[in-house]
């Protein structure tokens, strides 16, 4: 059955029924041979729907060329080297900071040790001063209280 006959049957079915039923009934028929469907005119019409060489060239001009990609690659390489040099500089600064922090840590540890020693010495000094004060004041208090001295219990 040729495509022309199939088209006629489909048109008649569309007149008699709705589109879905006509599609279903046409699908029940044997398919049209490929030689009837694919003709030179059909292929020309189908290909005319697609882009021409000029259209393709215009579309391709939107995309980057090899030269553009090479320029971009060179720019990326330059930026990479700049970033690497800056990172190296930052690494050196971080190393310097780590050294400075270690020195400060050592100084702080030394100051903390000195503070501990000073605290111990201050405590000992306090005990000595309290002891001396007590040893000087006890006889005075005892004599005032009348425990020692003239007319006292001990004296």
């Amino acid at each position: 059955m040729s495509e022309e006959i199939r088209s006629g049957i489909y048109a008649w079915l569309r007149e008699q029924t709705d589109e879905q039923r006509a599609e279903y009934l046409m699908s029940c028929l044997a398919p049209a041979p490929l030689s009837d469907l694919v003709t030179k005119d059909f292929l020309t019409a189908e290909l005319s729907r697609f882009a021409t060489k000029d259209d393709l060239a215009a579309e391709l001009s939107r995309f980057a060329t090899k030269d553009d990609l090479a320029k971009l690659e060179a720019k990326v390489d330059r930026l990479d080297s700049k970033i690497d040099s800056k990172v190296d500089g930052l690494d050196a600064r971080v190393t310097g900071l780590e050294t400075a922090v270690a020195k400060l840590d050592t100084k702080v540890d030394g100051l903390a040790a000195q503070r501990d020693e000073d605290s111990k010495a201050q405590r000992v000094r306090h005990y000595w001063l309290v002891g001396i004060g007590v040893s000087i004041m006890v006889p005075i208090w005892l004599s005032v209280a009348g425990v020692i001295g003239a007319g006292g219990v001990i004296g």
Side-chain angles (χ1 to χ4, degrees), residues 75-110:
K75 189 174 183 178
V76 166
D77 289 341
R78 281 194 311 271
L79 290 174
D80 270 348
S81 65
K82 283 183 181 179
I83 288 171
D84 287 343
S85 65
K86 287 186 179 187
V87 166
D88 291 342
L90 288 175
D91 283 344
R93 288 176 74 182
V94 166
T95 303
L97 287 174
E98 286 174 348
T99 305
V101 166
K103 286 180 183 178
L104 283 175
D105 232 5
T106 305
K107 283 184 181 179
V108 167
D109 289 344

Side-chain angles (χ1 to χ4, degrees), residues 11 25 49 78 97 107 114 131 133 148:
L25 291 171
R49 291 184 332 169
R78 281 194 311 271
L97 287 174
K107 283 184 181 179
Q114 182 66 40
I148 61 170

